[in-house]
Amino acid sequence: MIDLNLIREARERIARSVKKTPIMTSETISKDLGNDLFFKCEHLQKTGAFKIRGASNKVIYEANRNTKHVIAASSGNHGQAVAYIANQIGISSTIVVPEDAATCKKDAIKAYNGNIEFCGTTSEERIERAKQICEDGNGVFIPPYDDPLIMAGQGTAGLEIVEQMDGIDEVYVPIGGGGLISGIATAIKESNPSIRVIGVEPAIANDTYLSLKEGKRINIGGSSTIADGLRTSIPGELTFPIVQQYVDDIVLVDEESIKQAFTYVLARMKQLIEPSGAVSVAGAMKRNPEGKRIVALISGGNVDTEVIPSLLK
Ligand SMILES: *Cc1c(COP(=O)(O)O)cnc(C)c1O
């Protein structure tokens, strides 16, 4: 499905559109926890989340084959990423968002010249509308995770981690539809199989955890977790087999511990991240393998400022 070569190709293709994000650490946090905890800072990525990696890989690939219009159905970060890259390479985009989409995410799509369409509140409704727009206007649908080019693009963050650091024991990655972790796990396991890849899900959005337990994809019918990037109801058809193959373990975190991690990163690291990005930090703090060198991937930093007080612990 995907392999290290596809991820290396993705890196070439997207080199001019994405940043190599820094890795940060805090002696205070590591001392508190009794391990060496590092943060891969995708909240400092262009558009404020890792999604630009996969979106760029797919959109540039399609544009090279003469596509002039791309369409995405996204509650935020993916839509923002598709609008950004389409604008950058000079093609048009339409982003179908839920009626309750966060203001900062809508504003960003507009700033990148994306056309916004509002549709319902569920991802099923949005995807149906997006596909209809594709049929009406010859556009190409850019899926958020269940696509080899998207997964390979997200995997470039994994290549960077293994190149930026030595002696890593574990990497913690949040799971929504599973595009991010399937790309990262492929990059890591095919570079250095001794590194453990740990998925983290909110306990109230545990579709991947349940699916791994049952050995088949389970639909939990949506979730209200504060980690809005992780509300997918079922793992992807293409991402799930890769998760089964490469992910070593899943940690579940409750809503309070996501807030705790958010507050911790803000207070100690002086970094503003979004709840979905705090989930991996919460997972690393919960599992807390003592004396290990571990990396938590902070997946994004797009949070409405009005929401911040409700996230503080
Ligand atoms: C999309 C997203 C995720 C989840 O990624 P998947 O590829 O769907 O698993 C995690 N964090 C943030 C900030 C996101 O935007």
PDB file of all heavy atoms in Angstrom, residues 14 17-19 42 45-58 60 77-78 80-86 88 112 153-154 156:
ATOM      1  N   ILE A  14       6.800  17.701  -1.809  1.00  0.00           N
ATOM      2  CA  ILE A  14       6.238  18.766  -0.960  1.00  0.00           C
ATOM      3  C   ILE A  14       7.316  19.676  -0.355  1.00  0.00           C
ATOM      4  O   ILE A  14       6.998  20.578   0.421  1.00  0.00           O
ATOM      5  CB  ILE A  14       5.365  18.180   0.175  1.00  0.00           C
ATOM      6  CG1 ILE A  14       6.201  17.426   1.213  1.00  0.00           C
ATOM      7  CG2 ILE A  14       4.286  17.285  -0.407  1.00  0.00           C
ATOM      8  CD1 ILE A  14       5.388  16.857   2.377  1.00  0.00           C
ATOM      9  N   SER A  17       6.647  23.297  -0.018  1.00  0.00           N
ATOM     10  CA  SER A  17       5.361  23.725   0.533  1.00  0.00           C
ATOM     11  C   SER A  17       5.243  23.541   2.040  1.00  0.00           C
ATOM     12  O   SER A  17       4.361  24.123   2.659  1.00  0.00           O
ATOM     13  CB  SER A  17       4.224  22.936  -0.116  1.00  0.00           C
ATOM     14  OG  SER A  17       4.410  22.895  -1.500  1.00  0.00           O
ATOM     15  N   VAL A  18       6.088  22.700   2.623  1.00  0.00           N
ATOM     16  CA  VAL A  18       5.962  22.461   4.064  1.00  0.00           C
ATOM     17  C   VAL A  18       7.276  22.788   4.769  1.00  0.00           C
ATOM     18  O   VAL A  18       8.315  22.890   4.143  1.00  0.00           O
ATOM     19  CB  VAL A  18       5.558  20.993   4.395  1.00  0.00           C
ATOM     20  CG1 VAL A  18       4.352  20.565   3.592  1.00  0.00           C
ATOM     21  CG2 VAL A  18       6.712  20.049   4.184  1.00  0.00           C
ATOM     22  N   LYS A  19       7.170  22.957   6.078  1.00  0.00           N
ATOM     23  CA  LYS A  19       8.361  23.236   6.887  1.00  0.00           C
ATOM     24  C   LYS A  19       8.873  21.948   7.498  1.00  0.00           C
ATOM     25  O   LYS A  19       8.100  21.041   7.774  1.00  0.00           O
ATOM     26  CB  LYS A  19       7.980  24.124   8.072  1.00  0.00           C
ATOM     27  CG  LYS A  19       7.693  25.543   7.734  1.00  0.00           C
ATOM     28  CD  LYS A  19       7.595  26.303   9.066  1.00  0.00           C
ATOM     29  CE  LYS A  19       6.752  27.537   8.902  1.00  0.00           C
ATOM     30  NZ  LYS A  19       6.420  28.145  10.184  1.00  0.00           N
ATOM     31  N   GLU A  42       4.326  20.052  15.195  1.00  0.00           N
ATOM     32  CA  GLU A  42       3.532  20.299  13.983  1.00  0.00           C
ATOM     33  C   GLU A  42       2.525  21.442  14.167  1.00  0.00           C
ATOM     34  O   GLU A  42       1.906  21.873  13.193  1.00  0.00           O
ATOM     35  CB  GLU A  42       2.827  19.016  13.534  1.00  0.00           C
ATOM     36  CG  GLU A  42       3.778  17.992  12.939  1.00  0.00           C
ATOM     37  CD  GLU A  42       4.437  18.464  11.644  1.00  0.00           C
ATOM     38  OE1 GLU A  42       3.721  18.764  10.679  1.00  0.00           O
ATOM     39  OE2 GLU A  42       5.674  18.549  11.608  1.00  0.00           O
ATOM     40  N   GLN A  45       3.815  24.072  12.080  1.00  0.00           N
ATOM     41  CA  GLN A  45       3.796  23.778  10.636  1.00  0.00           C
ATOM     42  C   GLN A  45       2.991  24.847   9.907  1.00  0.00           C
ATOM     43  O   GLN A  45       2.148  25.523  10.505  1.00  0.00           O
ATOM     44  CB  GLN A  45       3.156  22.386  10.434  1.00  0.00           C
ATOM     45  CG  GLN A  45       3.139  21.866   9.021  1.00  0.00           C
ATOM     46  CD  GLN A  45       4.493  21.864   8.355  1.00  0.00           C
ATOM     47  OE1 GLN A  45       4.860  22.811   7.675  1.00  0.00           O
ATOM     48  NE2 GLN A  45       5.254  20.798   8.594  1.00  0.00           N
ATOM     49  N   LYS A  46       3.218  25.007   8.608  1.00  0.00           N
ATOM     50  CA  LYS A  46       2.380  25.916   7.813  1.00  0.00           C
ATOM     51  C   LYS A  46       0.926  25.501   7.965  1.00  0.00           C
ATOM     52  O   LYS A  46       0.635  24.301   7.964  1.00  0.00           O
ATOM     53  CB  LYS A  46       2.774  25.847   6.344  1.00  0.00           C
ATOM     54  CG  LYS A  46       4.043  26.584   6.079  1.00  0.00           C
ATOM     55  CD  LYS A  46       4.305  26.783   4.616  1.00  0.00           C
ATOM     56  CE  LYS A  46       5.679  27.377   4.461  1.00  0.00           C
ATOM     57  NZ  LYS A  46       6.186  27.268   3.096  1.00  0.00           N
ATOM     58  N   THR A  47       0.043  26.441   8.067  1.00  0.00           N
ATOM     59  CA  THR A  47      -1.403  26.280   8.311  1.00  0.00           C
ATOM     60  C   THR A  47      -1.693  25.748   9.722  1.00  0.00           C
ATOM     61  O   THR A  47      -2.825  25.466  10.062  1.00  0.00           O
ATOM     62  CB  THR A  47      -2.131  25.377   7.277  1.00  0.00           C
ATOM     63  OG1 THR A  47      -1.760  24.003   7.487  1.00  0.00           O
ATOM     64  CG2 THR A  47      -1.813  25.765   5.856  1.00  0.00           C
ATOM     65  N   GLY A  48      -0.673  25.595  10.551  1.00  0.00           N
ATOM     66  CA  GLY A  48      -0.896  25.257  11.954  1.00  0.00           C
ATOM     67  C   GLY A  48      -1.185  23.797  12.263  1.00  0.00           C
ATOM     68  O   GLY A  48      -1.633  23.477  13.371  1.00  0.00           O
ATOM     69  N   ALA A  49      -0.953  22.902  11.303  1.00  0.00           N
ATOM     70  CA  ALA A  49      -1.154  21.475  11.580  1.00  0.00           C
ATOM     71  C   ALA A  49      -0.419  20.642  10.527  1.00  0.00           C
ATOM     72  O   ALA A  49      -0.108  21.139   9.434  1.00  0.00           O
ATOM     73  CB  ALA A  49      -2.643  21.126  11.587  1.00  0.00           C
ATOM     74  N   PHE A  50      -0.177  19.375  10.849  1.00  0.00           N
ATOM     75  CA  PHE A  50       0.555  18.475   9.941  1.00  0.00           C
ATOM     76  C   PHE A  50      -0.179  18.225   8.629  1.00  0.00           C
ATOM     77  O   PHE A  50       0.413  17.756   7.659  1.00  0.00           O
ATOM     78  CB  PHE A  50       0.778  17.121  10.628  1.00  0.00           C
ATOM     79  CG  PHE A  50      -0.477  16.310  10.724  1.00  0.00           C
ATOM     80  CD1 PHE A  50      -0.851  15.458   9.701  1.00  0.00           C
ATOM     81  CD2 PHE A  50      -1.331  16.443  11.819  1.00  0.00           C
ATOM     82  CE1 PHE A  50      -2.043  14.756   9.766  1.00  0.00           C
ATOM     83  CE2 PHE A  50      -2.516  15.747  11.886  1.00  0.00           C
ATOM     84  CZ  PHE A  50      -2.873  14.900  10.854  1.00  0.00           C
ATOM     85  N   LYS A  51      -1.497  18.524   8.576  1.00  0.00           N
ATOM     86  CA  LYS A  51      -2.331  18.138   7.433  1.00  0.00           C
ATOM     87  C   LYS A  51      -1.796  18.657   6.089  1.00  0.00           C
ATOM     88  O   LYS A  51      -2.083  18.084   5.050  1.00  0.00           O
ATOM     89  CB  LYS A  51      -3.764  18.629   7.627  1.00  0.00           C
ATOM     90  CG  LYS A  51      -4.555  17.868   8.692  1.00  0.00           C
ATOM     91  CD  LYS A  51      -5.283  16.717   8.096  1.00  0.00           C
ATOM     92  CE  LYS A  51      -6.298  16.004   8.985  1.00  0.00           C
ATOM     93  NZ  LYS A  51      -6.303  16.225  10.408  1.00  0.00           N
ATOM     94  N   ILE A  52      -1.024  19.738   6.113  1.00  0.00           N
ATOM     95  CA  ILE A  52      -0.470  20.295   4.884  1.00  0.00           C
ATOM     96  C   ILE A  52       0.481  19.291   4.205  1.00  0.00           C
ATOM     97  O   ILE A  52       0.684  19.340   2.992  1.00  0.00           O
ATOM     98  CB  ILE A  52       0.254  21.639   5.175  1.00  0.00           C
ATOM     99  CG1 ILE A  52       0.633  22.373   3.893  1.00  0.00           C
ATOM    100  CG2 ILE A  52       1.484  21.444   6.046  1.00  0.00           C
ATOM    101  CD1 ILE A  52      -0.521  22.842   3.076  1.00  0.00           C
ATOM    102  N   ARG A  53       1.044  18.371   4.965  1.00  0.00           N
ATOM    103  CA  ARG A  53       1.979  17.401   4.380  1.00  0.00           C
ATOM    104  C   ARG A  53       1.242  16.482   3.391  1.00  0.00           C
ATOM    105  O   ARG A  53       1.628  16.350   2.233  1.00  0.00           O
ATOM    106  CB  ARG A  53       2.633  16.563   5.491  1.00  0.00           C
ATOM    107  CG  ARG A  53       3.527  17.366   6.418  1.00  0.00           C
ATOM    108  CD  ARG A  53       4.068  16.481   7.542  1.00  0.00           C
ATOM    109  NE  ARG A  53       4.902  17.210   8.492  1.00  0.00           N
ATOM    110  CZ  ARG A  53       6.211  17.363   8.387  1.00  0.00           C
ATOM    111  NH1 ARG A  53       6.868  16.823   7.385  1.00  0.00           N
ATOM    112  NH2 ARG A  53       6.881  18.039   9.297  1.00  0.00           N
ATOM    113  N   GLY A  54       0.178  15.851   3.869  1.00  0.00           N
ATOM    114  CA  GLY A  54      -0.577  14.949   3.002  1.00  0.00           C
ATOM    115  C   GLY A  54      -1.315  15.695   1.907  1.00  0.00           C
ATOM    116  O   GLY A  54      -1.330  15.275   0.746  1.00  0.00           O
ATOM    117  N   ALA A  55      -1.918  16.833   2.276  1.00  0.00           N
ATOM    118  CA  ALA A  55      -2.692  17.599   1.299  1.00  0.00           C
ATOM    119  C   ALA A  55      -1.790  18.071   0.160  1.00  0.00           C
ATOM    120  O   ALA A  55      -2.160  17.981  -1.013  1.00  0.00           O
ATOM    121  CB  ALA A  55      -3.370  18.790   1.987  1.00  0.00           C
ATOM    122  N   SER A  56      -0.599  18.561   0.478  1.00  0.00           N
ATOM    123  CA  SER A  56       0.323  19.021  -0.567  1.00  0.00           C
ATOM    124  C   SER A  56       0.715  17.877  -1.479  1.00  0.00           C
ATOM    125  O   SER A  56       0.775  18.030  -2.700  1.00  0.00           O
ATOM    126  CB  SER A  56       1.601  19.605   0.037  1.00  0.00           C
ATOM    127  OG  SER A  56       1.317  20.749   0.768  1.00  0.00           O
ATOM    128  N   ASN A  57       1.009  16.731  -0.879  1.00  0.00           N
ATOM    129  CA  ASN A  57       1.437  15.593  -1.699  1.00  0.00           C
ATOM    130  C   ASN A  57       0.366  15.222  -2.714  1.00  0.00           C
ATOM    131  O   ASN A  57       0.643  15.058  -3.905  1.00  0.00           O
ATOM    132  CB  ASN A  57       1.755  14.406  -0.785  1.00  0.00           C
ATOM    133  CG  ASN A  57       2.516  13.316  -1.498  1.00  0.00           C
ATOM    134  OD1 ASN A  57       3.338  13.600  -2.383  1.00  0.00           O
ATOM    135  ND2 ASN A  57       2.247  12.068  -1.146  1.00  0.00           N
ATOM    136  N   LYS A  58      -0.878  15.161  -2.257  1.00  0.00           N
ATOM    137  CA  LYS A  58      -1.984  14.763  -3.143  1.00  0.00           C
ATOM    138  C   LYS A  58      -2.335  15.878  -4.143  1.00  0.00           C
ATOM    139  O   LYS A  58      -2.524  15.616  -5.334  1.00  0.00           O
ATOM    140  CB  LYS A  58      -3.198  14.420  -2.277  1.00  0.00           C
ATOM    141  CG  LYS A  58      -4.473  14.103  -3.032  1.00  0.00           C
ATOM    142  CD  LYS A  58      -4.551  12.662  -3.442  1.00  0.00           C
ATOM    143  CE  LYS A  58      -5.921  12.345  -4.055  1.00  0.00           C
ATOM    144  NZ  LYS A  58      -5.895  11.054  -4.742  1.00  0.00           N
ATOM    145  N   ILE A  60      -0.546  18.497  -5.248  1.00  0.00           N
ATOM    146  CA  ILE A  60       0.505  18.746  -6.250  1.00  0.00           C
ATOM    147  C   ILE A  60       0.529  17.608  -7.270  1.00  0.00           C
ATOM    148  O   ILE A  60       0.643  17.835  -8.484  1.00  0.00           O
ATOM    149  CB  ILE A  60       1.893  18.923  -5.583  1.00  0.00           C
ATOM    150  CG1 ILE A  60       1.907  20.209  -4.750  1.00  0.00           C
ATOM    151  CG2 ILE A  60       3.007  18.953  -6.632  1.00  0.00           C
ATOM    152  CD1 ILE A  60       3.148  20.374  -3.869  1.00  0.00           C
ATOM    153  N   ASN A  77      -8.771  21.514   9.777  1.00  0.00           N
ATOM    154  CA  ASN A  77      -7.346  21.553   9.418  1.00  0.00           C
ATOM    155  C   ASN A  77      -7.055  21.004   8.028  1.00  0.00           C
ATOM    156  O   ASN A  77      -6.208  21.538   7.315  1.00  0.00           O
ATOM    157  CB  ASN A  77      -6.521  20.788  10.450  1.00  0.00           C
ATOM    158  CG  ASN A  77      -6.393  21.560  11.754  1.00  0.00           C
ATOM    159  OD1 ASN A  77      -6.545  22.786  11.767  1.00  0.00           O
ATOM    160  ND2 ASN A  77      -6.142  20.864  12.838  1.00  0.00           N
ATOM    161  N   HIS A  78      -7.750  19.956   7.639  1.00  0.00           N
ATOM    162  CA  HIS A  78      -7.523  19.398   6.304  1.00  0.00           C
ATOM    163  C   HIS A  78      -8.014  20.379   5.239  1.00  0.00           C
ATOM    164  O   HIS A  78      -7.335  20.616   4.241  1.00  0.00           O
ATOM    165  CB  HIS A  78      -8.211  18.037   6.185  1.00  0.00           C
ATOM    166  CG  HIS A  78      -8.175  17.455   4.811  1.00  0.00           C
ATOM    167  ND1 HIS A  78      -7.006  17.101   4.184  1.00  0.00           N
ATOM    168  CD2 HIS A  78      -9.170  17.164   3.932  1.00  0.00           C
ATOM    169  CE1 HIS A  78      -7.287  16.622   2.967  1.00  0.00           C
ATOM    170  NE2 HIS A  78      -8.584  16.646   2.795  1.00  0.00           N
ATOM    171  N   GLN A  80      -8.284  23.594   5.508  1.00  0.00           N
ATOM    172  CA  GLN A  80      -7.354  24.720   5.507  1.00  0.00           C
ATOM    173  C   GLN A  80      -6.110  24.382   4.683  1.00  0.00           C
ATOM    174  O   GLN A  80      -5.624  25.195   3.895  1.00  0.00           O
ATOM    175  CB  GLN A  80      -6.954  24.942   6.957  1.00  0.00           C
ATOM    176  CG  GLN A  80      -6.665  26.344   7.332  1.00  0.00           C
ATOM    177  CD  GLN A  80      -6.576  26.426   8.854  1.00  0.00           C
ATOM    178  OE1 GLN A  80      -7.530  26.128   9.566  1.00  0.00           O
ATOM    179  NE2 GLN A  80      -5.427  26.826   9.360  1.00  0.00           N
ATOM    180  N   ALA A  81      -5.620  23.176   4.878  1.00  0.00           N
ATOM    181  CA  ALA A  81      -4.408  22.738   4.177  1.00  0.00           C
ATOM    182  C   ALA A  81      -4.640  22.644   2.672  1.00  0.00           C
ATOM    183  O   ALA A  81      -3.811  23.085   1.873  1.00  0.00           O
ATOM    184  CB  ALA A  81      -3.953  21.384   4.737  1.00  0.00           C
ATOM    185  N   VAL A  82      -5.799  22.098   2.285  1.00  0.00           N
ATOM    186  CA  VAL A  82      -6.105  21.954   0.851  1.00  0.00           C
ATOM    187  C   VAL A  82      -6.247  23.340   0.212  1.00  0.00           C
ATOM    188  O   VAL A  82      -5.713  23.604  -0.871  1.00  0.00           O
ATOM    189  CB  VAL A  82      -7.379  21.102   0.640  1.00  0.00           C
ATOM    190  CG1 VAL A  82      -7.847  21.151  -0.816  1.00  0.00           C
ATOM    191  CG2 VAL A  82      -7.126  19.645   1.066  1.00  0.00           C
ATOM    192  N   ALA A  83      -6.944  24.265   0.918  1.00  0.00           N
ATOM    193  CA  ALA A  83      -7.105  25.625   0.387  1.00  0.00           C
ATOM    194  C   ALA A  83      -5.744  26.307   0.248  1.00  0.00           C
ATOM    195  O   ALA A  83      -5.453  26.964  -0.756  1.00  0.00           O
ATOM    196  CB  ALA A  83      -8.026  26.440   1.304  1.00  0.00           C
ATOM    197  N   TYR A  84      -4.898  26.138   1.245  1.00  0.00           N
ATOM    198  CA  TYR A  84      -3.570  26.777   1.225  1.00  0.00           C
ATOM    199  C   TYR A  84      -2.735  26.303   0.034  1.00  0.00           C
ATOM    200  O   TYR A  84      -2.198  27.109  -0.723  1.00  0.00           O
ATOM    201  CB  TYR A  84      -2.825  26.477   2.537  1.00  0.00           C
ATOM    202  CG  TYR A  84      -1.386  26.941   2.522  1.00  0.00           C
ATOM    203  CD1 TYR A  84      -1.053  28.243   2.892  1.00  0.00           C
ATOM    204  CD2 TYR A  84      -0.363  26.089   2.112  1.00  0.00           C
ATOM    205  CE1 TYR A  84       0.264  28.673   2.863  1.00  0.00           C
ATOM    206  CE2 TYR A  84       0.957  26.519   2.074  1.00  0.00           C
ATOM    207  CZ  TYR A  84       1.264  27.803   2.450  1.00  0.00           C
ATOM    208  OH  TYR A  84       2.570  28.235   2.407  1.00  0.00           O
ATOM    209  N   ILE A  85      -2.637  24.991  -0.131  1.00  0.00           N
ATOM    210  CA  ILE A  85      -1.745  24.482  -1.177  1.00  0.00           C
ATOM    211  C   ILE A  85      -2.324  24.758  -2.571  1.00  0.00           C
ATOM    212  O   ILE A  85      -1.578  25.075  -3.509  1.00  0.00           O
ATOM    213  CB  ILE A  85      -1.381  22.984  -0.962  1.00  0.00           C
ATOM    214  CG1 ILE A  85      -0.340  22.519  -1.972  1.00  0.00           C
ATOM    215  CG2 ILE A  85      -2.580  22.069  -0.987  1.00  0.00           C
ATOM    216  CD1 ILE A  85       0.997  23.211  -1.861  1.00  0.00           C
ATOM    217  N   ALA A  86      -3.656  24.678  -2.703  1.00  0.00           N
ATOM    218  CA  ALA A  86      -4.269  24.981  -3.997  1.00  0.00           C
ATOM    219  C   ALA A  86      -3.953  26.424  -4.385  1.00  0.00           C
ATOM    220  O   ALA A  86      -3.533  26.714  -5.507  1.00  0.00           O
ATOM    221  CB  ALA A  86      -5.781  24.760  -3.934  1.00  0.00           C
ATOM    222  N   GLN A  88      -1.495  28.259  -3.322  1.00  0.00           N
ATOM    223  CA  GLN A  88      -0.061  28.429  -3.551  1.00  0.00           C
ATOM    224  C   GLN A  88       0.351  28.001  -4.962  1.00  0.00           C
ATOM    225  O   GLN A  88       1.191  28.631  -5.582  1.00  0.00           O
ATOM    226  CB  GLN A  88       0.729  27.630  -2.505  1.00  0.00           C
ATOM    227  CG  GLN A  88       2.168  28.087  -2.393  1.00  0.00           C
ATOM    228  CD  GLN A  88       3.016  27.120  -1.593  1.00  0.00           C
ATOM    229  OE1 GLN A  88       3.059  25.923  -1.870  1.00  0.00           O
ATOM    230  NE2 GLN A  88       3.688  27.644  -0.596  1.00  0.00           N
ATOM    231  N   TYR A 112      -7.050  31.884   2.425  1.00  0.00           N
ATOM    232  CA  TYR A 112      -6.330  31.165   1.359  1.00  0.00           C
ATOM    233  C   TYR A 112      -7.156  31.087   0.074  1.00  0.00           C
ATOM    234  O   TYR A 112      -6.896  30.254  -0.789  1.00  0.00           O
ATOM    235  CB  TYR A 112      -5.963  29.750   1.813  1.00  0.00           C
ATOM    236  CG  TYR A 112      -5.131  29.694   3.075  1.00  0.00           C
ATOM    237  CD1 TYR A 112      -5.382  28.715   4.044  1.00  0.00           C
ATOM    238  CD2 TYR A 112      -4.090  30.593   3.310  1.00  0.00           C
ATOM    239  CE1 TYR A 112      -4.624  28.646   5.200  1.00  0.00           C
ATOM    240  CE2 TYR A 112      -3.338  30.531   4.470  1.00  0.00           C
ATOM    241  CZ  TYR A 112      -3.608  29.559   5.412  1.00  0.00           C
ATOM    242  OH  TYR A 112      -2.863  29.484   6.556  1.00  0.00           O
ATOM    243  N   GLY A 153       2.275  11.464   2.553  1.00  0.00           N
ATOM    244  CA  GLY A 153       2.628  12.849   2.907  1.00  0.00           C
ATOM    245  C   GLY A 153       2.735  13.019   4.411  1.00  0.00           C
ATOM    246  O   GLY A 153       3.696  13.605   4.918  1.00  0.00           O
ATOM    247  N   GLN A 154       1.770  12.484   5.143  1.00  0.00           N
ATOM    248  CA  GLN A 154       1.822  12.598   6.626  1.00  0.00           C
ATOM    249  C   GLN A 154       3.061  11.882   7.157  1.00  0.00           C
ATOM    250  O   GLN A 154       3.663  12.299   8.151  1.00  0.00           O
ATOM    251  CB  GLN A 154       0.571  12.021   7.318  1.00  0.00           C
ATOM    252  CG  GLN A 154      -0.797  12.262   6.696  1.00  0.00           C
ATOM    253  CD  GLN A 154      -1.217  13.689   6.463  1.00  0.00           C
ATOM    254  OE1 GLN A 154      -0.376  14.562   6.264  1.00  0.00           O
ATOM    255  NE2 GLN A 154      -2.527  13.940   6.446  1.00  0.00           N
ATOM    256  N   THR A 156       5.958  11.906   6.118  1.00  0.00           N
ATOM    257  CA  THR A 156       7.198  12.692   6.074  1.00  0.00           C
ATOM    258  C   THR A 156       7.560  13.251   7.454  1.00  0.00           C
ATOM    259  O   THR A 156       8.732  13.483   7.740  1.00  0.00           O
ATOM    260  CB  THR A 156       7.117  13.846   5.042  1.00  0.00           C
ATOM    261  OG1 THR A 156       6.028  14.725   5.392  1.00  0.00           O
ATOM    262  CG2 THR A 156       6.882  13.308   3.627  1.00  0.00           C
TER     263      THR A 156
END
